[in-house]
Amino acid sequence: MYSQDSDENEKRKALALERSSTPREYYARLRSVGATDGNEKPGAVQLVCRRDIEEALRTPELFSSVLVDTDIMGSVEPIIPLNVDPPEHVRYRRLLDPLFAPKHMAALQPAVLGHTNALIDSFIDRGSCDFSAELAVPLPCSTFLTLLGLPVDELSALVRWKDIMIRAETLVDNPDDAKQLQFDTAKDIYARFGAEMADRRTKPREDLITFLTTAEIEGSKLSDSEILRICFLLLAAGLDTVTISLQCIFAYLLEHPEARQMLIEKPGSENLLIEELLRWETPVQQLTRFPTRDIEIGGCPIRKGQEVQLALSSANVDPDGVPGADQVDVTRNDIRSLAFGGGPHRCLGSNLARMELRTVIRAWHDRIPEYAVAPGVTLQWNGSTLRGVDHMPLVFPAGGRA
Amino acid sequence: MKLSIDAERCQGHGRCFELAPDLIDADDLGRGEVLVEGEDVPDALIDAARSAVRACPEGAITLS
Ligand code: SF4
């Protein structure tokens, strides 16, 4: 019995590794078998066809985002707006969407460029760096601190917090300990943000926390709990997603010198390249939904409340959904991507993520046009549905551009 | 040909105003807003309009 369980576990681990290392082949295989897959997570069903996934994203009344019977990252109440359904969801989005609209992101860009250059300064003379630990991880964290109006010297504390909340299972061995650690940390985070809110109420500033403490929805102020659950979303959804996107894009660039050459020769070409690689690599591989009644998809019965994963990673490269989706072209401008999801829950931070990615990719190629994986190193995909490369040791001419 | 955006479908992915900035702008929520509502799209901008139509993840834009 026990060994059967551990066999199952090993099998799941192998599948997860395959999903993150060779996602296009992996999902092409699943799609050739059927519209659903039940192998990766016990009790859950995964949708793999573009059409079904689009349908699920656009039908929130049938595919709910409200968590059933599970708590997310030690947060007892639903995270806003991630785990809230329409119509309530719409009220929050109307408040938050303008904050993350392109105009606001443009105003934040100089600060992000400043953070990027400071991080590059810290390793450029060495001629080597771990792209993940020294740029892809800290950059979105610094951006988050700036956005919220928290001191940048809290960077290492923030990195630790988000690691616990997003991947506690990689920090401690026992799943129960991981849960407890998350629970305790969630309390710390709530306490910390609570103190910041109290501070902004007496001393308002130009930052997101101040905005949230004064904002009103239909004439009433947000409660402390609502504000905390919004901050929690930014922490949970805005950090690792940008980190892994940078890792996915650089992993591609390291293998495609012609794409690197284009970035060096044509400033601005990063915009279309980023869109295409977010689609092609799909760093956020899955979203989760819960059906509000019993349904059937592709002959597979799905129970009300059962966990359903929407494989964006598959939808984005499914040529039966969008012709040509199984080809990559970093200059194309004509293909629909679900990299930021779709429907009413479209990623709130998509414009922030784009701005961060553009800023880093431009600054890096202006300063360090020549780079390679450190000799003797093979990059390893992490096996997570937040698909990335945890260690990316790179080498380049010391000082960067000759 | 005229360009229009179905406001019910648009979710603010923001592809359209990047690809066709002369035809579409972002409103305060970051959603697409046609600048040439009801007008014929000039020939020189038809390609830009087509790529916006094809790139919109929600299929919210029509050119007809
Ligand atoms: S690309 Fe589509 S969804 Fe995005 S803003 Fe334009 S019309 Fe809206």
Side-chain angles (χ1 to χ4, degrees), chain A residues 112-296:
Chain A
V112 173
L113 179 59
H115 293 318
T116 305
N117 277 324
L119 290 166
I120 294 179
D121 286 342
S122 72
F123 55 67
I124 193 166
D125 289 333
R126 207 193 309 149
S128 68
C129 71
D130 183 335
F131 178 80
S132 292
E134 295 181 89
L135 188 54
V137 171
L139 191 269
C141 292
S142 305
T143 304
F144 173 90
L145 293 171
T146 304
L147 188 69
L148 265 80
L150 300 171
V152 175
D153 59 15
E154 296 197 9
L155 185 64
S156 55
L158 178 66
V159 171
R160 167 107 186 127
W161 275 357
K162 68 104 190 151
D163 279 340
I164 294 172
M165 296 327 273
I166 299 168
R167 44 173 99 189
E169 68 289 351
T170 65
L171 302 174
V172 287
D173 290 334
N174 180 324
D176 287 337
D177 292 347
K179 268 228 148 100
Q180 189 59 42
L181 184 61
Q182 283 190 330
F183 193 76
D184 295 341
T185 308
K187 267 203 228 141
D188 290 347
I189 295 175
Y190 275 23
R192 182 61 227 277
F193 283 139
E196 293 292 331
M197 280 158 43
D199 172 71
R200 296 307 188 286
R201 288 209 168 96
T202 51
K203 287 175 274 165
R205 291 199 236 155
E206 281 284 311
D207 61 28
L208 195 93
I209 299 183
T210 307
F211 172 86
L212 294 172
T213 54
T214 53
E216 290 184 359
I217 293 183
E218 289 159 12
S220 56
K221 289 230 165 76
L222 295 174
S223 70
D224 281 9
S225 155
E226 284 175 309
I227 297 176
L228 287 169
R229 287 182 285 142
I230 292 169
C231 292
F232 215 74
L233 166 82
L234 303 180
L235 180 79
L239 305 180
D240 271 23
T241 50
V242 174
T243 297
I244 58 167
S245 297
L246 282 169
Q247 292 164 347
C248 284
I249 291 171
F250 269 73
Y252 180 93
L253 290 172
L254 284 161
E255 287 191 349
H256 294 84
E258 70 298 342
R260 279 196 325 254
Q261 202 53 37
M262 177 187 83
L263 291 176
I264 297 162
E265 284 167 11
K266 279 191 23 205
S269 60
E270 63 274 16
N271 295 0
L272 290 178
L273 173 134
I274 290 167
E275 298 299 330
E276 176 68 346
L277 292 183
L278 289 179
R279 180 188 75 82
W280 185 243
E281 302 292 339
T282 316
V284 178
Q285 295 197 287
Q286 301 173 344
L287 300 175
T288 304
R289 295 289 187 271
F290 301 92
T292 51
R293 56 175 166 79
D294 292 351
I295 50 171
E296 195 183 298

Side-chain angles (χ1 to χ4, degrees), chain A residues 5-18 39-40:
Chain A
D5 273 8
S6 70
D7 275 3
E8 280 294 306
N9 258 337
E10 286 308 308
K11 224 166 75 194
R12 291 218 163 84
K13 262 199 206 143
L15 282 177
L17 198 60
E18 192 193 339
N39 286 322
E40 237 196 70

Side-chain angles (χ1 to χ4, degrees), chain A residues 2-181:
Chain A
Y2 183 76
S3 76
Q4 203 181 346
D5 273 8
S6 70
D7 275 3
E8 280 294 306
N9 258 337
E10 286 308 308
K11 224 166 75 194
R12 291 218 163 84
K13 262 199 206 143
L15 282 177
L17 198 60
E18 192 193 339
R19 178 197 6 81
S20 94
S21 350
T22 52
R24 290 167 294 270
E25 294 79 356
Y26 178 80
Y27 281 112
R29 195 184 75 228
L30 293 191
R31 285 195 306 274
S32 74
V33 178
T36 58
D37 172 65
N39 286 322
E40 237 196 70
K41 186 170 177 187
V45 176
Q46 178 172 220
L47 306 189
V48 295
C49 294
R50 170 94 186 201
R51 231 159 300 150
D52 297 331
I53 291 168
E54 281 197 12
E55 176 81 21
L57 289 169
R58 301 214 176 99
T59 327
E61 58 284 3
L62 185 56
F63 289 89
S64 167
S65 293
V66 177
L67 294 177
V68 177
D69 282 347
T70 78
D71 59 328
I72 181 166
M73 298 178 290
S75 165
V76 226
E77 293 182 273
I79 293 187
I80 299 172
L82 185 69
N83 304 125
V84 180
D85 282 336
E88 213 192 343
H89 176 256
V90 179
R91 298 190 300 123
Y92 290 122
R93 284 299 291 253
R94 230 175 259 147
L95 176 75
L96 295 171
D97 276 356
L99 289 179
F100 291 91
K103 225 189 301 167
H104 271 87
M105 295 303 105
L108 187 64
Q109 199 272 344
V112 173
L113 179 59
H115 293 318
T116 305
N117 277 324
L119 290 166
I120 294 179
D121 286 342
S122 72
F123 55 67
I124 193 166
D125 289 333
R126 207 193 309 149
S128 68
C129 71
D130 183 335
F131 178 80
S132 292
E134 295 181 89
L135 188 54
V137 171
L139 191 269
C141 292
S142 305
T143 304
F144 173 90
L145 293 171
T146 304
L147 188 69
L148 265 80
L150 300 171
V152 175
D153 59 15
E154 296 197 9
L155 185 64
S156 55
L158 178 66
V159 171
R160 167 107 186 127
W161 275 357
K162 68 104 190 151
D163 279 340
I164 294 172
M165 296 327 273
I166 299 168
R167 44 173 99 189
E169 68 289 351
T170 65
L171 302 174
V172 287
D173 290 334
N174 180 324
D176 287 337
D177 292 347
K179 268 228 148 100
Q180 189 59 42
L181 184 61

